[in-house]
C-alpha cells in the first residue's frame, strides 16, 4: 500500500509536527526522570526514577505509545487522528474524579460521617493489633 501524494495534506503535516512535539516532550521528561545523579567524587547519589512505578511516569509512557500509534495508523486512514482524543478525555476524567467532584458534591454532613468512620476504623485497627493468646491442650 502506497501513500498517495494527493491524499497527504497540510493538516497531516501539521498534525505530525504537533504530535511529534508532544512525543518528544514526553520522552525527554522520561529521560530526565531516569537519569542518575552523582556527587563531586563521582559516587552515585540517586539511581534515577523507577520507571515501573505508576503516576506521571505511566501517563508519559501512555502519551508516547498513543502518539506513535496515531502517527503510524494515520497513514492508513485519516480517522485514526480521533484516537488522540483519548488523552484529553482521560485528563478530564482524572480532573473530575480527583478535584471537581469532591469539591462540588461533598457536603459538610459527609465530612462528619468521615470522622465517625475514621474513629471506627482506628478502633478496629487497634483491636486487630492486640496480641491474642490461644490455649492449647497438652497431650
Amino acid at each position: 500500500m502506497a501513500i498517495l501524494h494527493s491524499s497527504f495534506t497540510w493538516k497531516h503535516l501539521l498534525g505530525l509536527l504537533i504530535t511529534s512535539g508532544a512525543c518528544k516532550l514526553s520522552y525527554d521528561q522520561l529521560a530526565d526522570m531516569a537519569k542518575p545523579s552523582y556527587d563531586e567524587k563521582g559516587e552515585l547519589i540517586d539511581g534515577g526514577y523507577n520507571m515501573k512505578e505508576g503516576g506521571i511516569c505511566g501517563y508519559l509512557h501512555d502519551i508516547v505509545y498513543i502518539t506513535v500509534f496515531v502517527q503510524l495508523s494515520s497513514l492508513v486512514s485519516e480517522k485514526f487522528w480521533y484516537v488522540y482524543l483519548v488523552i484529553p478525555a482521560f485528563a478530564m476524567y482524572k480532573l473530575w474524579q480527583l478535584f471537581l467532584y469532591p469539591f462540588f458534591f461533598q457536603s459538610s454532613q459527609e465530612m462528619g460521617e468521615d470522622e465517625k468512620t475514621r474513629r471506627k476504623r482506628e478502633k478496629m485497627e487497634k483491636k486487630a493489633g492486640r496480641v491474642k493468646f490461644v490455649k492449647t491442650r497438652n497431650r
Side-chain angles (χ1 to χ4, degrees):
M1 188 162 109
I3 301 171
L4 301 175
H5 178 68
S6 63
S7 65
F8 189 76
T9 65
W10 64 272
K11 293 177 190 176
H12 290 96
L13 184 62
L14 182 66
L16 180 68
L17 290 174
I18 290 172
T19 57
S20 295
C23 188
K24 172 98 171 91
L25 287 174
S26 299
Y27 186 80
D28 288 346
Q29 181 68 32
L30 285 169
D32 286 342
M33 290 168 67
K35 191 180 298 182
S37 58
Y38 300 96
D39 65 0
E40 298 84 28
K41 298 176 185 174
E43 293 183 24
L44 182 67
I45 297 173
D46 183 26
Y49 189 77
N50 183 5
M51 292 294 166
K52 292 182 181 179
E53 288 185 18
I56 191 73
C57 181
Y59 298 143
L60 290 172
H61 277 107
D62 292 343
I63 289 173
V64 171
Y65 296 144
I66 291 170
T67 301
V68 170
F69 171 76
V70 168
Q71 287 176 347
L72 293 176
S73 60
S74 67
L75 295 173
V76 176
S77 174
E78 179 174 305
K79 296 190 191 255
F80 279 105
W81 285 103
Y82 293 116
V83 172
Y84 213 62
L85 293 175
V86 166
I87 295 171
F90 184 74
M92 289 301 297
Y93 167 73
K94 282 302 214 182
L95 182 70
W96 173 259
Q97 180 186 25
L98 296 175
F99 298 111
L100 298 177
Y101 182 78
F103 181 74
F104 288 117
F105 297 108
Q106 191 172 21
S107 67
S108 59
Q109 183 182 13
E110 291 176 3
M111 294 296 282
E113 291 176 8
D114 287 340
E115 180 67 25
K116 182 179 178 183
T117 56
R118 183 186 62 81
R119 279 189 267 139
K120 185 175 181 180
R121 180 184 47 80
E122 287 175 355
K123 184 178 177 182
M124 294 295 279
E125 286 174 357
K126 187 185 265 189
K127 186 177 180 182
R130 291 186 199 149
V131 179
K132 296 180 181 178
F133 296 100
V134 180
K135 285 187 172 183
T136 60
R137 287 187 179 176
N138 292 335
R139 291 185 185 184

